[in-house]
Amino acid sequence: MYINIVKININYKKNVMQLTKTEFLEYLRCSKNFWLMKNEPELYITKRFSEFEQSKMREGYQVEKLARQLFTDGIYINGEPEEQFEKTKKFIAEKKAAIFQATFITERFLIVRVDTLVYNNITNCWDIYEVKSSTRVKTDRQTNHIKDVTYQRIVLEEAGVTVGEEYLLLMNSDYKKDGEIDVNKLFKTINITEEVNKALDITRSEIDEAVTLMNTNAIDKEYCSCLYLSRPNHCSSFRYFNQSIPDYSVHDIPRIRPDKIKNMLDAGIVYVNDITEKIPLTAMQKIQVELENTQEPKINNENIEKQLKDLVYPILFLDYETYSSAIPIEDGYSPHQHMPFQVSIHQLDENHKLTHYEILADKVEQATFSIVEFLKNTIPSVGTIVSWHASFENSINNNISIMYPELKEYFLNLNSRTIDLEKIFLKDFLHPGFRGKSSIKVVLPTLIPDFSYKDLDVQGGTEAMEGWRKMIFDDVSSKERENIKKGLLDYCAMDTLAMVELFKLLHKIIKVGK
């Protein structure tokens, strides 16, 4: 049953190049970035993880720990890698029912830890269970669950282990928390054996290529394959390999396809304003090129006036801050469902009087109920509600209406009165400074430089989410808790005040245009 693993010198780390699953997945994303990481780590640009991202990683460990409850008589292998390695050999030989964090290494030093390895007495094989905190199977460039598990299958087989089937343990989006977490309902099991079997041959070849590359002494560093991908898909070392590419280039055109990027770069087109009419682009992409060339905004006064003329006072600028987690924290919520914990409302009366209302939940229990009561007591029965990317606020209202069916008509009414201010800056007010983006964090300082988020302690929605988590769950001092609270209130208030200022600016532009 277990062959190669017993032949490996346990001191392999000291003198041999090894390949982990994480490194292999990085190879698939960008082979040269992978080589730099393995061979010249002092030059490799490590991705900096925000506090929010680090928190999500810790959450992943919590999810994995919960998933172990699905298996009876499971054995968790802890300790240093060498110790885990030796224990794995022992438990494999004993055919233990379930092994958590089983550690394997092959003769060519492929290494992997398996979340859960289960011995099947019927097939006499070992089944792989990989735990993921997502609700669906992912196969995109950044996250590929099939490749992840296929790598594990190959390593185990090279180590002499007969693998039966492969499964993903995902979060069940249909599950809603009701009291204590029901682990059997929180997870759903997806059999991906067929998909893994189909991926085996190509993945073996990719592993071979990765092993060969990491043992290569030198590579051409002039560019990496990310050169032909849009900006969000660039590797962490993109600047190192592609030094001739400016901060704002053809890679920043929204929804630009790799083939178009390649065609432009091959034609010597790097800057957005170098793009000619011969390059096929969508209507919105062409507008971005035009804006960069003219450096003049495109404003459709008539359309803006149509969208604003029917607004009913008082106008209520509304913004939610929400918390989401793989493991729901409040009853009635599903994995990754957004739970509102904060609301800011700036109310603008017809006489231009501006009043601010806000709420920040200071505990999980009844957080949603407190938000509901605040909304009912603050928002009048008449008046237009304005949000930025309003589909998000509307989705929160829809979710609350399901939790509180007696208030369904109330929240449907809120949605019917809501307009999306962002849409104006997507179609009718375009500025070269936006560079194809419509985030309020970009639009506000571009149009009204005196207003900015730069001096706030909280800079974005994920920071707000992490701040609230720390305030609620971490053992922080009362002073730090108050600082976090102030930062959250300032940030959410800025979101709605920003909309007020942009709304006023639009009215000035309409009057000037007449």
Side-chain angles (χ1 to χ4, degrees), residues 367-385:
T368 303
F369 180 77
S370 66
I371 297 293
V372 170
E373 290 299 298
F374 168 80
L375 294 171
K376 289 168 57 181
N377 293 328
T378 305
I379 298 179
S381 57
V382 296
T384 299
I385 300 169

mmCIF file of all heavy atoms in Angstrom, residues 367-385:
data_model
loop_
_atom_site.group_PDB
_atom_site.id
_atom_site.type_symbol
_atom_site.label_atom_id
_atom_site.label_comp_id
_atom_site.label_asym_id
_atom_site.label_seq_id
_atom_site.Cartn_x
_atom_site.Cartn_y
_atom_site.Cartn_z
ATOM 1 N N ALA A 367 -28.501 42.230 16.106
ATOM 2 C CA ALA A 367 -27.898 43.278 15.277
ATOM 3 C C ALA A 367 -28.841 43.676 14.142
ATOM 4 O O ALA A 367 -29.081 44.865 13.899
ATOM 5 C CB ALA A 367 -26.560 42.805 14.709
ATOM 6 N N THR A 368 -29.382 42.674 13.455
ATOM 7 C CA THR A 368 -30.282 42.977 12.341
ATOM 8 C C THR A 368 -31.551 43.652 12.828
ATOM 9 O O THR A 368 -32.038 44.608 12.207
ATOM 10 C CB THR A 368 -30.632 41.687 11.576
ATOM 11 O OG1 THR A 368 -29.433 41.063 11.119
ATOM 12 C CG2 THR A 368 -31.522 41.985 10.377
ATOM 13 N N PHE A 369 -32.071 43.180 13.942
ATOM 14 C CA PHE A 369 -33.296 43.776 14.487
ATOM 15 C C PHE A 369 -33.070 45.246 14.825
ATOM 16 O O PHE A 369 -33.943 46.087 14.568
ATOM 17 C CB PHE A 369 -33.742 43.009 15.734
ATOM 18 C CG PHE A 369 -34.994 43.549 16.364
ATOM 19 C CD1 PHE A 369 -36.232 43.289 15.806
ATOM 20 C CD2 PHE A 369 -34.928 44.350 17.497
ATOM 21 C CE1 PHE A 369 -37.394 43.809 16.380
ATOM 22 C CE2 PHE A 369 -36.081 44.870 18.075
ATOM 23 C CZ PHE A 369 -37.310 44.599 17.515
ATOM 24 N N SER A 370 -31.915 45.580 15.399
ATOM 25 C CA SER A 370 -31.628 46.972 15.751
ATOM 26 C C SER A 370 -31.536 47.838 14.498
ATOM 27 O O SER A 370 -31.973 49.000 14.511
ATOM 28 C CB SER A 370 -30.341 47.067 16.568
ATOM 29 O OG SER A 370 -29.218 46.700 15.791
ATOM 30 N N ILE A 371 -30.994 47.266 13.410
ATOM 31 C CA ILE A 371 -30.932 47.998 12.135
ATOM 32 C C ILE A 371 -32.343 48.247 11.604
ATOM 33 O O ILE A 371 -32.668 49.346 11.136
ATOM 34 C CB ILE A 371 -30.100 47.214 11.102
ATOM 35 C CG1 ILE A 371 -28.646 47.064 11.548
ATOM 36 C CG2 ILE A 371 -30.205 47.864 9.724
ATOM 37 C CD1 ILE A 371 -27.866 48.344 11.593
ATOM 38 N N VAL A 372 -33.183 47.231 11.694
ATOM 39 C CA VAL A 372 -34.561 47.347 11.221
ATOM 40 C C VAL A 372 -35.290 48.444 11.985
ATOM 41 O O VAL A 372 -35.976 49.294 11.383
ATOM 42 C CB VAL A 372 -35.298 45.999 11.368
ATOM 43 C CG1 VAL A 372 -36.799 46.185 11.102
ATOM 44 C CG2 VAL A 372 -34.723 44.971 10.407
ATOM 45 N N GLU A 373 -35.161 48.439 13.300
ATOM 46 C CA GLU A 373 -35.835 49.454 14.115
ATOM 47 C C GLU A 373 -35.323 50.848 13.779
ATOM 48 O O GLU A 373 -36.100 51.815 13.728
ATOM 49 C CB GLU A 373 -35.620 49.145 15.601
ATOM 50 C CG GLU A 373 -36.367 47.921 16.087
ATOM 51 C CD GLU A 373 -37.872 48.072 15.921
ATOM 52 O OE1 GLU A 373 -38.443 48.996 16.545
ATOM 53 O OE2 GLU A 373 -38.475 47.286 15.162
ATOM 54 N N PHE A 374 -34.021 50.959 13.549
ATOM 55 C CA PHE A 374 -33.443 52.254 13.179
ATOM 56 C C PHE A 374 -34.034 52.755 11.866
ATOM 57 O O PHE A 374 -34.418 53.927 11.741
ATOM 58 C CB PHE A 374 -31.921 52.113 13.064
ATOM 59 C CG PHE A 374 -31.248 53.289 12.427
ATOM 60 C CD1 PHE A 374 -30.989 54.447 13.145
ATOM 61 C CD2 PHE A 374 -30.871 53.251 11.081
ATOM 62 C CE1 PHE A 374 -30.374 55.542 12.539
ATOM 63 C CE2 PHE A 374 -30.255 54.331 10.477
ATOM 64 C CZ PHE A 374 -30.004 55.487 11.212
ATOM 65 N N LEU A 375 -34.113 51.888 10.868
ATOM 66 C CA LEU A 375 -34.652 52.287 9.573
ATOM 67 C C LEU A 375 -36.108 52.723 9.688
ATOM 68 O O LEU A 375 -36.517 53.746 9.109
ATOM 69 C CB LEU A 375 -34.525 51.131 8.580
ATOM 70 C CG LEU A 375 -33.101 50.710 8.199
ATOM 71 C CD1 LEU A 375 -33.129 49.424 7.379
ATOM 72 C CD2 LEU A 375 -32.395 51.815 7.413
ATOM 73 N N LYS A 376 -36.895 51.958 10.416
ATOM 74 C CA LYS A 376 -38.309 52.282 10.572
ATOM 75 C C LYS A 376 -38.505 53.631 11.257
ATOM 76 O O LYS A 376 -39.445 54.373 10.943
ATOM 77 C CB LYS A 376 -39.012 51.179 11.361
ATOM 78 C CG LYS A 376 -39.176 49.870 10.587
ATOM 79 C CD LYS A 376 -39.600 48.738 11.498
ATOM 80 C CE LYS A 376 -40.893 49.046 12.252
ATOM 81 N NZ LYS A 376 -41.264 47.938 13.160
ATOM 82 N N ASN A 377 -37.635 53.940 12.216
ATOM 83 C CA ASN A 377 -37.770 55.179 12.981
ATOM 84 C C ASN A 377 -37.109 56.374 12.303
ATOM 85 O O ASN A 377 -37.339 57.514 12.727
ATOM 86 C CB ASN A 377 -37.154 55.002 14.373
ATOM 87 C CG ASN A 377 -37.919 54.008 15.226
ATOM 88 O OD1 ASN A 377 -39.137 53.882 15.099
ATOM 89 N ND2 ASN A 377 -37.217 53.289 16.085
ATOM 90 N N THR A 378 -36.307 56.135 11.277
ATOM 91 C CA THR A 378 -35.532 57.225 10.672
ATOM 92 C C THR A 378 -36.023 57.609 9.283
ATOM 93 O O THR A 378 -36.119 58.793 8.949
ATOM 94 C CB THR A 378 -34.036 56.826 10.585
ATOM 95 O OG1 THR A 378 -33.569 56.447 11.876
ATOM 96 C CG2 THR A 378 -33.202 57.979 10.054
ATOM 97 N N ILE A 379 -36.347 56.629 8.466
ATOM 98 C CA ILE A 379 -36.731 56.920 7.082
ATOM 99 C C ILE A 379 -38.213 57.260 7.013
ATOM 100 O O ILE A 379 -39.063 56.446 7.378
ATOM 101 C CB ILE A 379 -36.426 55.712 6.173
ATOM 102 C CG1 ILE A 379 -34.919 55.424 6.165
ATOM 103 C CG2 ILE A 379 -36.908 55.980 4.752
ATOM 104 C CD1 ILE A 379 -34.519 54.241 5.314
ATOM 105 N N PRO A 380 -38.550 58.462 6.545
ATOM 106 C CA PRO A 380 -39.965 58.845 6.431
ATOM 107 C C PRO A 380 -40.669 58.049 5.339
ATOM 108 O O PRO A 380 -40.035 57.401 4.502
ATOM 109 C CB PRO A 380 -39.899 60.329 6.101
ATOM 110 C CG PRO A 380 -38.568 60.515 5.459
ATOM 111 C CD PRO A 380 -37.650 59.538 6.112
ATOM 112 N N SER A 381 -41.975 58.135 5.315
ATOM 113 C CA SER A 381 -42.768 57.347 4.368
ATOM 114 C C SER A 381 -42.693 57.887 2.945
ATOM 115 O O SER A 381 -43.095 57.209 1.999
ATOM 116 C CB SER A 381 -44.236 57.296 4.812
ATOM 117 O OG SER A 381 -44.755 58.611 4.940
ATOM 118 N N VAL A 382 -42.196 59.117 2.794
ATOM 119 C CA VAL A 382 -42.017 59.686 1.460
ATOM 120 C C VAL A 382 -40.575 60.162 1.321
ATOM 121 O O VAL A 382 -39.884 60.400 2.304
ATOM 122 C CB VAL A 382 -42.977 60.866 1.199
ATOM 123 C CG1 VAL A 382 -44.414 60.389 1.206
ATOM 124 C CG2 VAL A 382 -42.767 61.972 2.228
ATOM 125 N N GLY A 383 -40.130 60.298 0.095
ATOM 126 C CA GLY A 383 -38.768 60.768 -0.152
ATOM 127 C C GLY A 383 -37.977 59.741 -0.940
ATOM 128 O O GLY A 383 -38.168 58.535 -0.793
ATOM 129 N N THR A 384 -37.093 60.224 -1.792
ATOM 130 C CA THR A 384 -36.245 59.353 -2.605
ATOM 131 C C THR A 384 -35.035 58.901 -1.803
ATOM 132 O O THR A 384 -34.422 59.696 -1.082
ATOM 133 C CB THR A 384 -35.777 60.083 -3.876
ATOM 134 O OG1 THR A 384 -36.925 60.455 -4.646
ATOM 135 C CG2 THR A 384 -34.870 59.196 -4.711
ATOM 136 N N ILE A 385 -34.705 57.635 -1.953
ATOM 137 C CA ILE A 385 -33.525 57.071 -1.309
ATOM 138 C C ILE A 385 -32.430 56.945 -2.364
ATOM 139 O O ILE A 385 -32.670 56.438 -3.461
ATOM 140 C CB ILE A 385 -33.835 55.704 -0.688
ATOM 141 C CG1 ILE A 385 -34.933 55.845 0.370
ATOM 142 C CG2 ILE A 385 -32.578 55.080 -0.070
ATOM 143 C CD1 ILE A 385 -35.501 54.531 0.848
#
